[in-house]
Each structure stands twice: as C-alpha cells, then as structure tokens.
Amino acid sequence: MAATIGRAGSRSRPLVGITASVHGSRIAAMANRLALWRAGAASVRITVDAPFPIERLDALVVGGGDDIDASLYGESARPHIRIDPDRDRLELLALDRAARLGLPVLGICRGSQMINVHRGGSLHVDIHEVYEEAPHMRTVLPRKRIRIEPDSRLYRILGIAECRVNALHHQSVDRVGDGLRVVARERAGIVQGIEAPAEPFLIGVQWHPEYLIADSRQQALFRRLVVTAMGEAPLDEIAGVAPAQ
C-alpha cells in the first residue's frame, strides 16, 4: 500500500494523509490504511516527526489519539490527561491548508474534536462530569447506539438513522464550531457526529469506523471521502440506500 504522488502529479489512486501521534497505535494506522485502500485510495501517515506537504494530498483524515490541549478552547488543563501540543499544532495547520485547498476531510474520534476546535468550538474535557447517566464504555466493538439526523450528509452516506458504534473516548464536542452542525448523538445526548453543510465533505465522527471493517455502511465513509477526493459528484446512494425524501 505504497503512497502515490498525489496532487503534485499523476497517480493511480488519490492520496489521503492520515494524521497520527508519533507513538500512535500501529493497529489504528493499519486499519485506516486498509480502509482507504479498499475504498480506492493510497495513504500516507503524517506525524510531527514525519510531516508531509498537505498541498500534495487529495484528502485528509484527522485520526484518533491523545486528548487535545484544553487551552486551545479556553478550558483548564487536567494534570492526569495526556496531551500532545506538537500534534495539536500540526493538525490545526493541516486543517488550515486543507480548507484553503478545498480538500475533503474526515475526522475520527480525536479528529472530530479537532475539527470542532479548529472551527472555534469547545469540548467537554470529561463527558462523565457532564453526562452522569452515560455508560462508561470503552470498546472497539459496536456496542453504543447512536441516532443520525435524517437530513444530514452523514445519513445519506450511511443510509441509516440508527446504528451501533464503538467507543474509545472520554471527551466530546460541547460548543459547536463555526459552520458546523451536530448530526448524530447517543441516547445520553453526547455528540457523536458533526459536519459542515456548506462543504463538499467535512465530517467528524466520534467513533472509529476503521475498526468496523465488516460493516459496509461504516466503510462507506471512506468510500465517499475517496469519491469526493477524485472530484466526482457525491453519490447519495453510495451506501446502497436511497436518501430520505
């Protein structure tokens, strides 16, 4: 799954950058690369130690990992929470450049939160301090039920109003950033999906679709990202289900 040339020249597959921590999970990296390869794209891992020109990408995935520095959205840092300020700066800059270039962007878990912070939004530093009735759940298996707004792009991609997803987070979107809307929540009210209606593809999901490799609906997120990166018109039935009327 070697990376191709990208926007700077001819390529057989669109090139998607995946941001990650320097010491990020190899399993997560492999899962994202596999999902993108199956969707028709090549990929390149982007870290502080291994940067890559955003101008050469066709799309961007802002991946999962450590928490975001709370000072970026006006909150106090917690001493027991691990942060990576260098990665924060890398991703904010990547999102700036992606916006200028009009690249499609998918945020996964931390990446969804980073999209929100980049747009001026804030986060709940610890969801269980706010949503006391929310179950304490941490699993790569699809155990958490969420509901998706039927008039959203996320719904048109997944083709379903309710589904089960995995959960590997303890933070979530609080105040929504400029130009974004909440398009998915779990029963307790925790935000599970955001998107920018005015953009061709700027979506953040709080779960990890890369781990749900057998779920064709979840893999449709990667397919739509790649389709958009190729400059093709969005396919509202990409998941095999017609959009709501």
Side-chain angles (χ1 to χ4, degrees):
M1 293 184 285
T4 52
I5 295 174
R7 293 168 69 93
S10 61
R11 72 278 191 188
S12 58
R13 288 170 172 258
L15 183 60
V16 182
I18 309 168
T19 64
S21 298
V22 172
H23 303 294
S25 167
R26 291 187 178 183
I27 295 175
M30 291 177 61
N32 274 308
R33 296 195 72 181
L34 176 60
L36 288 165
W37 185 262
R38 292 172 65 191
S43 60
V44 57
R45 187 169 179 263
I46 302 174
T47 68
V48 172
D49 287 357
F52 189 88
I54 304 303
E55 292 76 11
R56 290 179 56 189
L57 299 177
D58 299 292
L60 179 67
V61 171
V62 186
D66 294 336
D67 294 333
I68 297 167
D69 185 351
S71 68
L72 292 176
Y73 50 92
E75 294 289 339
S76 299
R78 306 290 177 87
H80 64 283
I81 292 178
R82 187 174 66 182
I83 61 174
D84 186 347
D86 290 336
R87 181 182 176 186
D88 292 344
R89 287 189 287 271
L90 173 76
E91 290 179 338
L92 289 172
L93 182 59
L95 285 168
D96 278 343
R97 292 176 177 171
R100 288 198 297 269
L101 293 166
L103 300 184
V105 177
L106 173 63
I108 295 175
C109 197
R110 167 200 160 94
S112 179
Q113 298 166 12
M114 183 55 81
I115 288 173
N116 191 58
V117 170
H118 178 255
R119 289 293 187 103
S122 66
L123 307 177
H124 292 301
V125 179
D126 188 334
I127 56 176
H128 298 294
E129 293 179 358
V130 180
Y131 302 96
E132 297 180 356
E133 298 181 359
H136 289 248
M137 185 180 298
R138 187 173 181 84
T139 175
V140 297
L141 301 176
R143 295 286 185 262
K144 179 174 288 188
R145 182 175 291 278
I146 67 168
R147 181 165 183 81
I148 302 165
E149 294 295 332
D151 62 342
S152 66
R153 180 173 290 114
L154 183 61
Y155 173 86
R156 293 196 295 273
I157 294 172
L158 299 182
I160 193 169
E162 291 188 5
C163 64
R164 290 188 181 274
V165 299
N166 48 30
L168 293 171
H169 67 104
H170 73 97
Q171 297 188 324
S172 70
V173 168
D174 180 10
R175 185 182 68 254
V176 182
D178 296 339
L180 301 174
R181 63 173 292 215
V182 174
V183 293
R185 294 182 185 268
E186 61 182 87
R187 180 173 296 180
I190 298 172
V191 173
Q192 287 287 325
I194 57 174
E195 65 183 40
E199 305 291 336
F201 192 110
L202 179 60
I203 296 176
V205 295
Q206 189 57 70
W207 65 94
H208 286 262
E210 74 273 23
Y211 290 142
L212 304 175
I213 59 175
D215 188 331
S216 63
R217 294 183 186 274
Q218 295 295 330
Q219 297 309 296
L221 277 165
F222 296 101
R223 294 197 298 273
R224 174 66 74 86
L225 179 75
V226 173
V227 165
T228 308
M230 293 171 65
E232 299 180 8
L235 304 176
D236 285 339
E237 298 182 11
I238 197 167
V241 179
Q245 300 298 317

